[in-house]
Amino acid sequence: AIFFYVNISTAPLLSAVVPLISERSVFNREVLSGTYQRSEYGIAVQLAGLPFNVGAAFISFFIFYFMVGLSLDGERVAYFILMSIAAYWILPALGQLFSFVSPNIGAAVALGSLLMTLFTLTMGFLIPASE
């Protein structure tokens, strides 16, 4: 069940790619004209997406956590919520990074898909060769 949750939480990585690639020309024009710095734009994008990422983390938490029947211990619930918020904040930021370093949408999505595949293969659910 945790494997499914982690796999689903990587979806925001790819959803963050397309909007930023379409905004890249505006970003370059504004930075070159001196309207704002690159860091200010990055911080603004992160802050603008934060309510959506936190909301998605809470919605997925409420749907997943109680349906699976995980421990209701307060520390475990709080830790799971914090890790959900972190995942839903960091993964879109990673997708945004791919959109800025890639030449087009196809390359950014391919890079994100490759990374998601590597995440899935290395998330700790592989059976050792000795077994």
Side-chain angles (χ1 to χ4, degrees), residues 70-129:
L70 295 175
S71 172
L72 296 177
D73 181 36
E75 289 180 6
R76 290 178 183 251
V77 171
Y79 182 75
F80 192 89
I81 290 172
L82 288 176
M83 290 300 109
S84 296
I85 291 171
Y88 275 91
W89 191 13
I90 291 171
L91 289 170
L94 195 56
Q96 292 164 359
L97 172 69
F98 291 156
S99 69
F100 279 114
V101 299
S102 300
N104 55 32
I105 293 174
V109 169
L111 191 59
S113 297
L114 176 65
L115 187 71
M116 284 174 46
T117 302
L118 291 174
F119 280 169
T120 302
L121 289 174
T122 59
M123 64 172 84
F125 296 103
L126 299 175
I127 299 172

Side-chain angles (χ1 to χ4, degrees), residues 44-57:
V45 167
Q46 290 302 310
L47 290 177
L50 189 59
F52 299 104
N53 296 334
V54 170

Side-chain angles (χ1 to χ4, degrees), residues 9-94:
S9 69
T10 59
L13 186 147
L14 294 178
S15 67
V17 169
V18 176
L20 281 185
I21 287 184
S22 61
E23 295 174 2
R24 188 166 34 190
S25 61
V26 175
F27 166 73
N28 289 331
R29 184 185 66 228
E30 297 292 326
V31 168
L32 289 175
S33 70
T35 306
Y36 48 78
Q37 301 294 320
R38 294 176 193 269
S39 59
E40 293 169 351
Y41 179 79
I43 292 170
V45 167
Q46 290 302 310
L47 290 177
L50 189 59
F52 299 104
N53 296 334
V54 170
F58 273 110
I59 289 169
S60 65
F61 162 75
F62 284 119
I63 291 172
F64 177 81
Y65 199 85
F66 300 108
M67 184 187 324
V68 174
L70 295 175
S71 172
L72 296 177
D73 181 36
E75 289 180 6
R76 290 178 183 251
V77 171
Y79 182 75
F80 192 89
I81 290 172
L82 288 176
M83 290 300 109
S84 296
I85 291 171
Y88 275 91
W89 191 13
I90 291 171
L91 289 170
L94 195 56

